RNA sequence: GCCGCCGUAGCUCAGUCCGGUAGAGCAGCGGGCUUUUAACCCGAAGCGCGCAGGUUCGAAUCCUGCCGGCGGCACCA
């Protein structure tokens, strides 16, 4: 896999370079500065859907895009032009353009960016077509495009050279347009409900807000290491302490973990925090938000997003799936015994603490079986250092995760706002770190002091945008929904 | 990190099991064609098979290692 210019077959490149020189010799600028007055193809086509085969009109349009196909016919040719909105056939005729201009147009290569002026008509076979009255080379393409019919299939090239994927595969273009719509709708919905979008540091002196290993970088002038954020949680809660009441941040988090179909080392997350609300309110909002997004993109897939989504306590979900009752097996030895006694569950229990085993049960036996959206609620305290204790269930916190299609896509809690309790949770995390857990939380005294200032009762949610896009577009790999996924060099 | 599968012209693929010296379509090149739409027809050309070794008279085909990709596990939300 290499993409040095010299790796291209010299004849293919040379032919395009030769055309470039010929074009220049004719006094034509192959890379002009602008092309004003372009109508998107879909817009040019929209009024003429009823045009009868063979009908012609005087209405003129200017379109621009990439030359995607050519069906030559000597004195007449059909060309396909593709832009972001669609594809349109244009017809070039020697008797309209003159021999010389016809020859110039015919010499354009597949992949060239061209501007076309023409009048609308419907071909004999009924295809809406633009009869070319004028054309402009907008940028010469010096490399061959992917196959015009099969598109670009090679997965590796599709990820490494996403521009080729976008050129060749309409589904790829559509997917990233859909992704943008999802993000817009998310922002619109939160904005309309009085949330304000904020920006907090990506480079952090101390990382926190999630259980993950960070990337470390270095600031030269300060001569100190900084972490790329693994979450925005702690800063956003400081905004709540400050009285901003409803805030959200949508941006990249970075986690130094393995890659998989569900994990990219940098990924997009939205977190929002709402004062005076609890995790039940947060569930309502997640539900409403996702349903709204599905509607906006005209979701048409196997998932039934309609409300209400089941809200199942974690212990119940695990009991239903495995028969093991973690509310009975509340210490490691009892739980290990229950796992050993179970014929449904096969788990490696060695070196694994009680909370980890519970998490394993959830992720191996509950999560994969979920298809339609479900909230799993009320997690053990040990797994959730920033969540508030459950109002009626000792040992648990008011936390939920939203699952769909076998995948977690949101995580939320009634936020812990008791500073002394938070301090104790940090101390627990420090003890975990000392016993070798690389994903524990570092102690963040500044954050605890912020809580001491007084934080209102607050609900906080983190929702993975990439995963949400996967759900909405039916993709099973995060690389399909990230424009430029992480790849080895 | 481990296991499995994969890597052949610019692109999409066949050929690998059962070694015999690489092929098709598209694109490109030359020519023909005023309603095609995977346009079509004729002609000439293009890859030595991810990389490096090995076995063999002979390797794209078998073996080893490495690189890259995909999937799974581990790890992890």
């Amino acid at each position: 896999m290499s993409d040095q210019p010299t790796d291209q077959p010299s004849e293919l490149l040379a032919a395009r370079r030769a055309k470039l020189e010929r074009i220049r010799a004719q006094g034509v600028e192959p890379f002009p500065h602008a092309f004003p007055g372009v109508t998107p193809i879909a817009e040019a086509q929209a009024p003429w859907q009823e045009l009868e085969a063979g009908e012609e009109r005087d209405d003129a349009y200017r379109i621009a895009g990439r030359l995607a196909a050519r069906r030559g016919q000597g004195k007449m040719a059909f060309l396909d032009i593709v832009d972001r909105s669609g594809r349109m056939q244009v017809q070039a005729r020697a008797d309209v353009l003159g021999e010389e201009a016809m020859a110039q147009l015919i010499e354009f290569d597949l992949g060239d960016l061209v501007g076309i002026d023409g009048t609308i008509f419907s071909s004999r076979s009924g295809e809406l077509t633009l009869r070319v009255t004028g054309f402009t080379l907008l940028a010469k393409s010096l490399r061959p495009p992917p196959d015009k019919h099969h598109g670009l299939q090679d997965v590796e090239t599709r990820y490494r050279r996403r521009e080729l994927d976008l050129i060749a595969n309409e589904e790829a273009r559509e997917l990233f347009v859909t992704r943008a719509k999802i993000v817009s709708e998310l922002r619109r919905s939160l904005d309309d409900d009085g949330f304000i979008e904020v920006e907090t540091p990506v480079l952090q002196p101390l990382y926190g807000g999630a259980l993950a290993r960070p990337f470390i970088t270095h600031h030269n002038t300060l001569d100190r290491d900084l972490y790329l954020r693994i979450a925005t949680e702690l800063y956003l809660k400081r905004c709540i302490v400050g009285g901003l009441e409803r805030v959200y941040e949508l941006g990249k988090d970075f986690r130094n973990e393995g890659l998989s179909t569900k994990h990219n080392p940098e990924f997009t997350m939205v977190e929002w925090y709402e004062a005076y609300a609890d995790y039940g309110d947060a569930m309502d909002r997640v539900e409403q938000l996702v349903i709204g997004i599905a509607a906006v993109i005209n979701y048409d897939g196997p998932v039934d997003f309609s409300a209400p989504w089941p809200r199942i306590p974690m212990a119940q979900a695990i009991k239903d799936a495995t028969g093991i009752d973690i509310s009975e097996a509340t210490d490691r030895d009892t739980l290990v015994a229950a796992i050993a006694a179970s014929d449904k569950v096969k788990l490696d229990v060695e070196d694994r603490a009680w909370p980890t085993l519970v998490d394993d049960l959830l992720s191996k036996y509950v999560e994969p079986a979920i298809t339609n959206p479900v909230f799993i609620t009320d997690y053990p305290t040990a797994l959730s250092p920033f969540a508030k204790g459950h109002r009626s269930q000792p040992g648990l916190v008011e936390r939920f995760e939203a699952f769909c299609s076998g995948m977690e896509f949101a995580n939320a809690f009634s936020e812990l706002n008791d500073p002394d309790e938070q301090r104790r949770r940090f101390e627990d995390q420090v003890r975990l770190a000392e016993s070798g857990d690389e994903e524990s939380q570092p102690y963040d005294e500044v954050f605890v002091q912020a809580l001491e200032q007084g934080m209102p009762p607050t609900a906080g949610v983190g929702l993975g945008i990439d995963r949400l896009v996967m759900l909405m577009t039916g993709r099973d790999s995060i690389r399909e929904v990230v424009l430029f996924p992480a790849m080895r060099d």
Side-chain angles (χ1 to χ4, degrees):
Chain A
M1 180 74 221
S2 165
D3 40 29
Q4 297 306 303
T6 48
D7 291 340
Q8 295 280 336
S10 54
E11 318 89 88
L12 292 181
L13 295 184
R16 283 174 182 252
R17 293 256 167 207
K19 284 185 187 177
L20 178 67
E21 292 319 312
R22 247 175 280 156
I23 287 162
R24 286 202 163 111
Q26 289 164 356
V28 174
E29 170 53 55
F31 298 102
H33 290 80
F35 192 63
V38 171
T39 301
I41 282 173
E43 222 174 280
Q45 290 168 327
W48 304 107
Q49 296 307 311
E50 305 304 317
L51 209 59
E52 300 278 326
E55 262 194 276
E56 310 211 359
R57 294 297 163 90
D58 294 331
D59 301 76
Y61 291 94
R62 163 169 280 196
I63 64 168
R66 205 176 279 277
L67 181 56
R70 173 174 45 222
R71 295 171 291 282
Q73 196 92 192
K75 299 279 188 289
M76 193 264 283
F78 291 99
L79 313 175
D80 288 347
I81 308 296
V82 170
D83 76 3
R84 193 179 79 184
S85 73
R87 168 185 285 249
M88 188 171 201
Q89 172 171 274
V90 306
Q91 182 202 47
R93 295 171 53 148
D95 59 355
V96 174
L97 293 169
E99 299 279 340
E100 196 182 323
M102 182 74 186
Q104 273 182 10
L105 181 51
I106 290 300
E107 211 182 45
F108 286 169
D109 286 308
L110 297 188
D112 285 355
L113 290 151
V114 296
I116 300 287
D117 290 294
T119 53
I120 198 88
F121 76 102
S122 181
S123 74
R124 272 179 206 168
S125 55
E127 170 140 359
L128 210 50
T129 306
L130 221 47
R131 175 160 301 141
V132 182
T133 54
F135 59 88
T136 308
L137 178 61
L138 299 179
K140 185 66 192 162
S141 171
L142 295 172
R143 288 174 180 274
D147 188 278
K148 67 177 181 184
H149 180 242
H150 298 93
L152 179 62
Q153 300 299 322
D154 184 74
V155 175
E156 183 174 357
T157 309
R158 287 186 44 238
Y159 296 161
R160 287 189 193 275
R161 303 287 315 278
R162 185 68 85 180
E163 65 279 12
L164 297 180
D165 186 31
L166 292 168
I167 287 171
N169 300 324
E170 190 182 351
E171 321 83 71
R173 289 194 297 276
E174 283 173 354
L175 186 138
F176 290 104
V177 171
T178 299
R179 180 175 173 130
K181 285 181 183 160
I182 290 168
V183 170
S184 297
E185 172 60 13
L186 184 68
R187 280 202 165 99
R188 189 203 61 74
S189 181
L190 290 171
D191 291 344
D192 284 359
D193 283 348
F195 286 79
I196 61 167
E197 183 167 5
V198 298
E199 293 177 86
T200 66
V202 171
L203 294 175
Q204 302 182 344
L206 212 54
Y207 61 95
L211 303 176
R213 287 152 69 184
F215 287 94
I216 302 171
T217 187
H218 188 78
H219 190 293
N220 289 338
T221 306
L222 299 180
D223 189 25
R224 63 162 301 168
D225 284 346
L226 293 168
Y227 302 98
L228 298 187
R229 69 185 181 197
I230 60 173
T232 47
E233 171 146 357
L234 303 188
Y235 283 97
L236 291 178
K237 281 196 266 199
R238 287 165 68 182
C239 294
I240 296 294
V241 169
L244 294 181
E245 294 184 342
R246 292 185 176 199
V247 296
Y248 73 96
E249 178 161 14
L250 197 160
K252 289 277 181 78
D253 288 343
F254 307 84
R255 296 186 186 174
N256 208 340
E257 314 277 8
L259 286 71
S260 81
T261 51
K262 295 183 178 114
H263 302 263
N264 200 53
E266 59 178 287
F267 62 101
T268 306
M269 174 95 113
V270 61
E271 290 191 36
W272 71 82
Y273 290 81
E274 178 176 357
Y276 314 116
D278 66 13
Y279 76 144
D281 300 314
M283 281 186 258
D284 294 343
R285 189 176 292 286
V286 167
E287 207 171 74
Q288 161 218 318
L289 211 47
V290 170
I291 289 168
I293 286 168
V296 161
I297 65 158
N298 298 312
Y299 174 80
D300 176 28
V303 176
D304 179 3
F305 287 108
S306 41
W309 301 353
R311 302 180 178 190
I312 307 171
M314 184 200 229
Q316 185 64 50
I318 289 175
K319 194 175 174 188
D320 291 346
T322 66
I324 294 173
D325 189 347
I326 59 163
S327 66
E328 303 280 316
T330 53
D331 62 88
R332 184 176 183 278
D333 290 345
T334 316
L335 183 56
V336 167
I339 290 170
S342 167
D343 50 0
K344 285 185 191 161
V345 176
K346 286 199 191 86
L347 268 190
D348 182 12
V349 297
E350 205 168 327
D351 292 334
R352 296 180 95 76
W354 184 86
T356 315
L357 288 171
V358 169
D359 200 28
D360 286 348
L361 288 171
L362 182 71
S363 58
K364 294 211 171 71
Y365 295 96
V366 177
E367 185 171 339
I370 291 172
T371 51
N372 290 328
V374 173
F375 294 115
I376 303 292
T377 67
D378 303 341
Y379 283 55
T381 308
L383 289 170
S384 318
F386 299 105
K388 199 172 204 167
H390 196 282
R391 62 196 73 187
S392 61
Q393 306 276 326
L396 302 183
V397 291
E398 294 198 354
R399 173 182 179 185
F400 71 83
E401 292 185 307
F403 295 87
C404 185
S405 301
M407 177 171 70
E408 179 223 339
F409 68 94
N411 177 31
F413 6 99
S414 298
E415 299 294 340
L416 177 58
N417 62 344
D418 175 340
D420 295 333
E421 172 66 15
Q422 183 66 72
R423 200 169 257 127
R424 283 193 288 278
R425 302 276 190 94
F426 271 131
E427 282 160 1
D428 291 342
Q429 289 293 315
V430 169
R431 273 194 288 282
L432 283 175
E434 283 163 357
S435 68
D437 185 343
E438 290 185 73
E439 286 165 356
S440 58
Q441 284 288 317
Y443 192 109
D444 190 336
E445 177 61 21
V446 176
F447 175 67
V448 176
Q449 288 185 15
L451 292 187
E452 284 176 336
Q453 215 70 51
M455 185 174 89
T458 299
V461 177
L463 189 152
I465 299 293
D466 309 287
R467 290 182 176 187
L468 180 64
V469 175
M470 288 167 67
L471 293 177
M472 289 290 160
T473 61
R475 308 297 152 131
D476 51 18
S477 169
I478 196 169
R479 296 187 187 97
E480 291 291 337
V481 305
V482 170
L483 273 168
F484 300 98
M487 302 288 276
R488 258 176 242 272
D489 282 334

